[in-house]
Amino acid sequence: MTAATTVSRPERSHFRWTVCALLFFATTINYIDRQVLSILAKTLETQIGWDSIQYGYITSAFQAAYAVGLLAAGRWMDRMGTRKGYALAITIWSLAAMAHAAAVSAFTFGIARALLGLGEAANFPACIKTVAEWFPKKERAFATGIFNSGANIGAVVVPVTVPWLASAYGWQSAFVATGAVGFVWLIFWLALYRKPEEHPQISKQELALIQSDPPDRAASYPWAPLLPKRQTWAFAVGKALTDPIWWFYLFWLPKYLQETFGLSLTQAIWPLFVLYNITSIGSVGGGYISSALMHRGWELNRARKTAMLICALCVVPVIYAPYSKNLWVVVGLVGLALAAHQGWSANLFTTTSDMFPRSAVGSVVGIGGTAGAAASVILQIATGYIVELTHSYLPLFLLGGCAYLIALGIFQVLAPTLAPAELD
């Protein structure tokens, strides 16, 4: 409060949306860096020499490191603060992304992926914590949907730029160029970001809106009181059941389209471009649904769960995808599933700030994210064996179509009312 009264402020402002834009661009860069490999997977399979099982291990190296990184990153963000913590994280992952250019075997690619996973693990704990600090509860799902849509934009940018870079300057250039973009974002982050009460560009009116929810009763929380809570496990189970589906699409879909429909690297550009643009709608739309329902007077629990149910139902039709012989039918079905995942994810992430104080959000997101990443390690390895031994993706699409409804059912059992966790 002392800092808030000593800062000279403008009469009106909406600076929280500038902060949201910074989170959006960071998430875009995050997904550009992790997506480059999946676009080049078929090319590198020929040039470096690996099979689907080895590729499964390469992608699982990212997931395993991501799981470990999430455990540390959530706690790290709660202790260090988002300004310094986020800056260090993007520095680490940008250097790791560029290091892929020096890889010469499946093993060295696995090392580069692991380093990338460690750095990128901090993105979502940092973003969710920043949203909790800068937005009141009624705006958080929408803000989360906006920054989370950066994942889709990143996925759109990669198929448009990476094939051109790889063909014109070699595949190594794609990793170097995309990794370097993170340092541009870092300049803007350090120049623009401060805590709301310390920031000179937000008005008293906007600061009052940001601080309109009851204040936290503790500056930070250790893990001990968080782990036994049903609310923590509701979020963790939701992540463990649905995150692996997202990662399957992210790392295997370009390869699936090329193998199933005989597409070259350049021919896959437009299907992937259309597919990931469809996904962008779901991220913002899913977050908007619950926020709009709350503005209409719906209570928080009903609004969040309704939005999550709509998204879970929209995933189900993807079960038909492996039966279709039409490329654009598959693009439409998978695009709908990915859009629904992003809408689901926007609301699931927001439940952490619904159920926990701001000072615990980073740790809870880290715990849940670790559960999701650990489950993804298993699915990535299993996918490699399934594809290599059966030459079929059918079991994976069946799992993807059912996972969200199962996750929502368990979430409802563990957190039926989204009641705040009793920590103090």
Side-chain angles (χ1 to χ4, degrees), residues 23-48:
L23 302 181
F24 165 83
F25 285 113
T27 304
T28 300
I29 295 166
N30 186 278
Y31 269 80
I32 287 174
D33 289 343
R34 71 177 67 175
Q35 186 74 354
V36 173
L37 179 63
S38 65
I39 296 295
L40 296 177
K42 196 67 181 173
T43 300
L44 293 171
E45 186 176 283
T46 302
Q47 295 193 16
I48 303 296

mmCIF file of all heavy atoms in Angstrom, residues 23-48:
data_model
loop_
_atom_site.group_PDB
_atom_site.id
_atom_site.type_symbol
_atom_site.label_atom_id
_atom_site.label_comp_id
_atom_site.label_asym_id
_atom_site.label_seq_id
_atom_site.Cartn_x
_atom_site.Cartn_y
_atom_site.Cartn_z
ATOM 1 N N LEU A 23 2.348 -11.730 -22.038
ATOM 2 C CA LEU A 23 2.208 -13.159 -21.771
ATOM 3 C C LEU A 23 1.845 -13.910 -23.052
ATOM 4 O O LEU A 23 2.325 -15.026 -23.287
ATOM 5 C CB LEU A 23 1.137 -13.396 -20.702
ATOM 6 C CG LEU A 23 1.344 -12.707 -19.357
ATOM 7 C CD1 LEU A 23 0.212 -13.063 -18.404
ATOM 8 C CD2 LEU A 23 2.692 -13.092 -18.741
ATOM 9 N N PHE A 24 0.988 -13.300 -23.864
ATOM 10 C CA PHE A 24 0.602 -13.906 -25.146
ATOM 11 C C PHE A 24 1.820 -14.122 -26.038
ATOM 12 O O PHE A 24 2.018 -15.210 -26.598
ATOM 13 C CB PHE A 24 -0.422 -13.006 -25.845
ATOM 14 C CG PHE A 24 -0.635 -13.323 -27.302
ATOM 15 C CD1 PHE A 24 -1.507 -14.328 -27.684
ATOM 16 C CD2 PHE A 24 0.043 -12.620 -28.286
ATOM 17 C CE1 PHE A 24 -1.695 -14.634 -29.028
ATOM 18 C CE2 PHE A 24 -0.143 -12.904 -29.628
ATOM 19 C CZ PHE A 24 -1.026 -13.921 -29.995
ATOM 20 N N PHE A 25 2.658 -13.108 -26.181
ATOM 21 C CA PHE A 25 3.815 -13.234 -27.069
ATOM 22 C C PHE A 25 4.843 -14.213 -26.504
ATOM 23 O O PHE A 25 5.495 -14.947 -27.265
ATOM 24 C CB PHE A 25 4.451 -11.863 -27.319
ATOM 25 C CG PHE A 25 3.668 -11.007 -28.273
ATOM 26 C CD1 PHE A 25 3.047 -9.851 -27.846
ATOM 27 C CD2 PHE A 25 3.535 -11.378 -29.603
ATOM 28 C CE1 PHE A 25 2.307 -9.065 -28.723
ATOM 29 C CE2 PHE A 25 2.797 -10.604 -30.493
ATOM 30 C CZ PHE A 25 2.188 -9.438 -30.053
ATOM 31 N N ALA A 26 4.999 -14.246 -25.180
ATOM 32 C CA ALA A 26 5.921 -15.219 -24.589
ATOM 33 C C ALA A 26 5.443 -16.642 -24.849
ATOM 34 O O ALA A 26 6.245 -17.532 -25.176
ATOM 35 C CB ALA A 26 6.049 -14.977 -23.088
ATOM 36 N N THR A 27 4.145 -16.869 -24.716
ATOM 37 C CA THR A 27 3.595 -18.200 -24.965
ATOM 38 C C THR A 27 3.713 -18.565 -26.437
ATOM 39 O O THR A 27 3.964 -19.726 -26.795
ATOM 40 C CB THR A 27 2.128 -18.256 -24.506
ATOM 41 O OG1 THR A 27 2.045 -17.882 -23.129
ATOM 42 C CG2 THR A 27 1.546 -19.651 -24.667
ATOM 43 N N THR A 28 3.550 -17.579 -27.314
ATOM 44 C CA THR A 28 3.750 -17.807 -28.750
ATOM 45 C C THR A 28 5.172 -18.285 -29.019
ATOM 46 O O THR A 28 5.394 -19.286 -29.727
ATOM 47 C CB THR A 28 3.477 -16.521 -29.545
ATOM 48 O OG1 THR A 28 2.127 -16.103 -29.329
ATOM 49 C CG2 THR A 28 3.707 -16.737 -31.028
ATOM 50 N N ILE A 29 6.145 -17.588 -28.458
ATOM 51 C CA ILE A 29 7.550 -17.957 -28.642
ATOM 52 C C ILE A 29 7.816 -19.332 -28.041
ATOM 53 O O ILE A 29 8.537 -20.167 -28.625
ATOM 54 C CB ILE A 29 8.467 -16.893 -27.998
ATOM 55 C CG1 ILE A 29 8.309 -15.556 -28.730
ATOM 56 C CG2 ILE A 29 9.920 -17.344 -28.001
ATOM 57 C CD1 ILE A 29 8.904 -14.373 -27.995
ATOM 58 N N ASN A 30 7.230 -19.596 -26.881
ATOM 59 C CA ASN A 30 7.378 -20.877 -26.210
ATOM 60 C C ASN A 30 6.974 -22.029 -27.127
ATOM 61 O O ASN A 30 7.688 -23.028 -27.266
ATOM 62 C CB ASN A 30 6.522 -20.854 -24.938
ATOM 63 C CG ASN A 30 6.697 -22.077 -24.063
ATOM 64 O OD1 ASN A 30 6.095 -23.113 -24.322
ATOM 65 N ND2 ASN A 30 7.480 -21.952 -23.019
ATOM 66 N N TYR A 31 5.834 -21.864 -27.803
ATOM 67 C CA TYR A 31 5.344 -22.936 -28.662
ATOM 68 C C TYR A 31 6.047 -22.979 -30.013
ATOM 69 O O TYR A 31 6.143 -24.037 -30.632
ATOM 70 C CB TYR A 31 3.823 -22.820 -28.830
ATOM 71 C CG TYR A 31 3.106 -23.612 -27.767
ATOM 72 C CD1 TYR A 31 2.954 -23.104 -26.489
ATOM 73 C CD2 TYR A 31 2.623 -24.887 -28.027
ATOM 74 C CE1 TYR A 31 2.329 -23.831 -25.494
ATOM 75 C CE2 TYR A 31 1.998 -25.627 -27.046
ATOM 76 C CZ TYR A 31 1.855 -25.095 -25.780
ATOM 77 O OH TYR A 31 1.247 -25.829 -24.805
ATOM 78 N N ILE A 32 6.540 -21.844 -30.480
ATOM 79 C CA ILE A 32 7.367 -21.873 -31.690
ATOM 80 C C ILE A 32 8.594 -22.737 -31.447
ATOM 81 O O ILE A 32 8.935 -23.620 -32.246
ATOM 82 C CB ILE A 32 7.771 -20.439 -32.096
ATOM 83 C CG1 ILE A 32 6.575 -19.675 -32.675
ATOM 84 C CG2 ILE A 32 8.913 -20.484 -33.117
ATOM 85 C CD1 ILE A 32 6.866 -18.214 -32.954
ATOM 86 N N ASP A 33 9.265 -22.510 -30.320
ATOM 87 C CA ASP A 33 10.504 -23.226 -30.040
ATOM 88 C C ASP A 33 10.287 -24.728 -29.871
ATOM 89 O O ASP A 33 11.103 -25.534 -30.296
ATOM 90 C CB ASP A 33 11.168 -22.646 -28.784
ATOM 91 C CG ASP A 33 11.738 -21.256 -29.019
ATOM 92 O OD1 ASP A 33 11.915 -20.882 -30.192
ATOM 93 O OD2 ASP A 33 11.990 -20.527 -28.032
ATOM 94 N N ARG A 34 9.171 -25.111 -29.232
ATOM 95 C CA ARG A 34 8.958 -26.545 -29.010
ATOM 96 C C ARG A 34 8.379 -27.247 -30.247
ATOM 97 O O ARG A 34 8.460 -28.458 -30.360
ATOM 98 C CB ARG A 34 8.060 -26.775 -27.793
ATOM 99 C CG ARG A 34 6.610 -26.388 -27.979
ATOM 100 C CD ARG A 34 5.775 -26.705 -26.748
ATOM 101 N NE ARG A 34 6.129 -25.887 -25.602
ATOM 102 C CZ ARG A 34 5.475 -25.912 -24.433
ATOM 103 N NH1 ARG A 34 4.467 -26.753 -24.277
ATOM 104 N NH2 ARG A 34 5.836 -25.143 -23.440
ATOM 105 N N GLN A 35 7.779 -26.485 -31.179
ATOM 106 C CA GLN A 35 7.089 -27.078 -32.325
ATOM 107 C C GLN A 35 7.997 -27.315 -33.516
ATOM 108 O O GLN A 35 7.667 -28.101 -34.405
ATOM 109 C CB GLN A 35 5.924 -26.168 -32.729
ATOM 110 C CG GLN A 35 5.018 -26.698 -33.818
ATOM 111 C CD GLN A 35 4.094 -27.805 -33.343
ATOM 112 O OE1 GLN A 35 4.213 -28.249 -32.209
ATOM 113 N NE2 GLN A 35 3.198 -28.244 -34.191
ATOM 114 N N VAL A 36 9.158 -26.661 -33.550
ATOM 115 C CA VAL A 36 10.035 -26.764 -34.718
ATOM 116 C C VAL A 36 10.397 -28.220 -34.999
ATOM 117 O O VAL A 36 10.382 -28.677 -36.149
ATOM 118 C CB VAL A 36 11.308 -25.915 -34.513
ATOM 119 C CG1 VAL A 36 12.300 -26.151 -35.654
ATOM 120 C CG2 VAL A 36 10.954 -24.433 -34.432
ATOM 121 N N LEU A 37 10.710 -28.978 -33.945
ATOM 122 C CA LEU A 37 11.124 -30.354 -34.141
ATOM 123 C C LEU A 37 10.034 -31.206 -34.784
ATOM 124 O O LEU A 37 10.313 -32.027 -35.663
ATOM 125 C CB LEU A 37 11.546 -30.980 -32.805
ATOM 126 C CG LEU A 37 11.973 -32.450 -32.879
ATOM 127 C CD1 LEU A 37 13.209 -32.613 -33.751
ATOM 128 C CD2 LEU A 37 12.222 -33.018 -31.488
ATOM 129 N N SER A 38 8.779 -31.010 -34.363
ATOM 130 C CA SER A 38 7.707 -31.841 -34.908
ATOM 131 C C SER A 38 7.497 -31.585 -36.402
ATOM 132 O O SER A 38 7.183 -32.504 -37.156
ATOM 133 C CB SER A 38 6.404 -31.607 -34.147
ATOM 134 O OG SER A 38 5.939 -30.288 -34.317
ATOM 135 N N ILE A 39 7.693 -30.344 -36.843
ATOM 136 C CA ILE A 39 7.571 -30.029 -38.267
ATOM 137 C C ILE A 39 8.697 -30.688 -39.072
ATOM 138 O O ILE A 39 8.491 -31.165 -40.184
ATOM 139 C CB ILE A 39 7.591 -28.504 -38.477
ATOM 140 C CG1 ILE A 39 6.374 -27.856 -37.825
ATOM 141 C CG2 ILE A 39 7.645 -28.154 -39.966
ATOM 142 C CD1 ILE A 39 5.051 -28.262 -38.439
ATOM 143 N N LEU A 40 9.887 -30.737 -38.474
ATOM 144 C CA LEU A 40 11.050 -31.298 -39.181
ATOM 145 C C LEU A 40 11.269 -32.775 -38.877
ATOM 146 O O LEU A 40 12.269 -33.350 -39.332
ATOM 147 C CB LEU A 40 12.305 -30.503 -38.794
ATOM 148 C CG LEU A 40 12.340 -29.033 -39.211
ATOM 149 C CD1 LEU A 40 13.602 -28.363 -38.685
ATOM 150 C CD2 LEU A 40 12.263 -28.891 -40.725
ATOM 151 N N ALA A 41 10.370 -33.396 -38.114
ATOM 152 C CA ALA A 41 10.600 -34.773 -37.659
ATOM 153 C C ALA A 41 10.825 -35.737 -38.807
ATOM 154 O O ALA A 41 11.750 -36.564 -38.776
ATOM 155 C CB ALA A 41 9.425 -35.234 -36.797
ATOM 156 N N LYS A 42 9.982 -35.651 -39.825
ATOM 157 C CA LYS A 42 10.100 -36.578 -40.952
ATOM 158 C C LYS A 42 11.392 -36.322 -41.733
ATOM 159 O O LYS A 42 12.070 -37.262 -42.166
ATOM 160 C CB LYS A 42 8.884 -36.419 -41.868
ATOM 161 C CG LYS A 42 8.682 -37.547 -42.848
ATOM 162 C CD LYS A 42 8.314 -38.839 -42.135
ATOM 163 C CE LYS A 42 8.124 -39.979 -43.133
ATOM 164 N NZ LYS A 42 7.921 -41.266 -42.451
ATOM 165 N N THR A 43 11.774 -35.051 -41.884
ATOM 166 C CA THR A 43 13.025 -34.699 -42.570
ATOM 167 C C THR A 43 14.232 -35.209 -41.794
ATOM 168 O O THR A 43 15.146 -35.819 -42.355
ATOM 169 C CB THR A 43 13.120 -33.170 -42.738
ATOM 170 O OG1 THR A 43 12.006 -32.710 -43.507
ATOM 171 C CG2 THR A 43 14.419 -32.776 -43.421
ATOM 172 N N LEU A 44 14.227 -34.968 -40.471
ATOM 173 C CA LEU A 44 15.352 -35.379 -39.639
ATOM 174 C C LEU A 44 15.406 -36.897 -39.486
ATOM 175 O O LEU A 44 16.489 -37.467 -39.294
ATOM 176 C CB LEU A 44 15.264 -34.711 -38.276
ATOM 177 C CG LEU A 44 15.462 -33.191 -38.288
ATOM 178 C CD1 LEU A 44 15.146 -32.587 -36.925
ATOM 179 C CD2 LEU A 44 16.893 -32.849 -38.699
ATOM 180 N N GLU A 45 14.262 -37.548 -39.571
ATOM 181 C CA GLU A 45 14.231 -39.008 -39.535
ATOM 182 C C GLU A 45 15.073 -39.587 -40.661
ATOM 183 O O GLU A 45 15.753 -40.607 -40.500
ATOM 184 C CB GLU A 45 12.777 -39.479 -39.662
ATOM 185 C CG GLU A 45 12.568 -40.976 -39.497
ATOM 186 C CD GLU A 45 11.098 -41.341 -39.550
ATOM 187 O OE1 GLU A 45 10.397 -41.115 -38.554
ATOM 188 O OE2 GLU A 45 10.654 -41.844 -40.604
ATOM 189 N N THR A 46 15.054 -38.898 -41.803
ATOM 190 C CA THR A 46 15.845 -39.336 -42.956
ATOM 191 C C THR A 46 17.303 -38.889 -42.842
ATOM 192 O O THR A 46 18.227 -39.681 -43.060
ATOM 193 C CB THR A 46 15.238 -38.765 -44.253
ATOM 194 O OG1 THR A 46 13.881 -39.204 -44.372
ATOM 195 C CG2 THR A 46 16.029 -39.225 -45.461
ATOM 196 N N GLN A 47 17.505 -37.621 -42.450
ATOM 197 C CA GLN A 47 18.858 -37.066 -42.458
ATOM 198 C C GLN A 47 19.697 -37.528 -41.264
ATOM 199 O O GLN A 47 20.888 -37.794 -41.408
ATOM 200 C CB GLN A 47 18.788 -35.537 -42.490
ATOM 201 C CG GLN A 47 18.170 -34.981 -43.769
ATOM 202 C CD GLN A 47 18.400 -33.486 -43.927
ATOM 203 O OE1 GLN A 47 19.241 -32.899 -43.258
ATOM 204 N NE2 GLN A 47 17.658 -32.874 -44.828
ATOM 205 N N ILE A 48 19.090 -37.577 -40.077
ATOM 206 C CA ILE A 48 19.823 -37.996 -38.882
ATOM 207 C C ILE A 48 19.769 -39.509 -38.734
ATOM 208 O O ILE A 48 20.745 -40.147 -38.356
ATOM 209 C CB ILE A 48 19.264 -37.308 -37.621
ATOM 210 C CG1 ILE A 48 19.312 -35.785 -37.781
ATOM 211 C CG2 ILE A 48 20.047 -37.741 -36.378
ATOM 212 C CD1 ILE A 48 20.685 -35.206 -37.898
#
